[in-house]
Amino acid sequence: MIRKSKRQLRQDLYEEALEYYRSHADEFIEDVMGITLNLYQKVMVRAFFKYSFLIWVMCRGTGKTFLGVLCIVTYCILFPNTKAGIVAPSFRQAKNALQEKYKDELCSMSPFLEQEEKNFACSIQKARVEFYNGSWIEAYPVGNDGAKIRGARLHVILIDEAAYVNRTIIDKVVTPMLIVKSGYKVGKKQDDYAGNKILMTSTASYRFNHLYKSFVDWTHEMVKPNNKKYFTMTLPYNVGVRVGLFDETIVEKARMDMTEMEFEMEYLGRFPRLIENAWIKYDDLMKCSDLLKLECHGVKNFEYVMSIDVARMEGEDN
């Protein structure tokens, strides 16, 4: 029997702990980083580490950006040499996610996390944090067409307020950034490769928004028996009330002040139909429409109908 050295024993213990925490990241956040989580946050952290394509549609104030940043930061700590990015409707929002949620909040909550930071920079041109284990997170300016970030390669991407990021940029610029496998080396087998990740967080929007289609498609994939890639969820205000985060009287005031559709989107995490009692069902209308294509000339072999909107919404006829 060969006795292992103390150094080897320590290495074995380290690897065992790392393997455990990679599948129980919520426990790592509490045990090592010293940040206490609510139950719903633990579930979402576990989901992030288990699945590759995630959409979280959350009520205002439930901490979607905070939790999204926490997940990619924790992933960077547990998986050395990870390249992570944050994308938002504007560069300012992406930078603020890194400055406010990582630097101002998470680092103040976790002395351990602060010690893992090698460099941090947040300026008009750049926002980036680097860790001692070789991982880093950078906020990216997508602009109007994503031209500024074409060619970048990442392992993990957080798209914050995804409903308001251009769908074409997500499909043709952001998602292709994940094409290269993490840990790839020529000739090296990757039997343990879990897949790169994309997390989209947002409040809800109308059903004609691109996020609704992605949410529906990914949910259909999630409920398949052998699903190992997709995870979607919605989080209404009730969860915030239950854990003591929300003042319910403020929520009820918002319910009175907002339209029913606004309240559904902002507080219930739902994608509302525009008109529930329309003569033609909204979902049927959307199946034969294309809001992204404007035809200036007719197409041969098709018949065209011109319609007039007579505004028959109850109480608002004009």
Side-chain angles (χ1 to χ4, degrees), residues 107-145:
C107 284
S108 65
M109 297 168 72
S110 175
F112 167 84
L113 182 58
E114 196 170 29
Q115 291 175 2
E116 292 298 305
E117 179 190 300
K118 183 179 180 181
N119 290 306
F120 178 80
C122 189
S123 64
I124 296 175
Q125 294 84 16
K126 189 174 184 179
R128 178 181 170 109
V129 58
E130 298 174 354
F131 300 101
Y132 281 108
N133 68 355
S135 295
W136 51 260
I137 305 170
E138 185 165 345
Y140 283 88
V142 295
N144 295 324
D145 57 4

Side-chain angles (χ1 to χ4, degrees), residues 8 10 23 26-27 32 54 65 159 161 173 178 199 202 209 212 229 231 258-259 278:
Q8 185 60 51
R10 284 197 299 268
S23 58
D26 56 301
E27 294 182 35
V32 181
L54 304 97
T65 305
I159 304 180
E161 290 296 354
V173 179
L178 296 168
L199 166 62
S202 189
N209 186 281
Y212 175 69
K229 292 290 184 182
F231 180 86
M258 290 179 168
T259 66

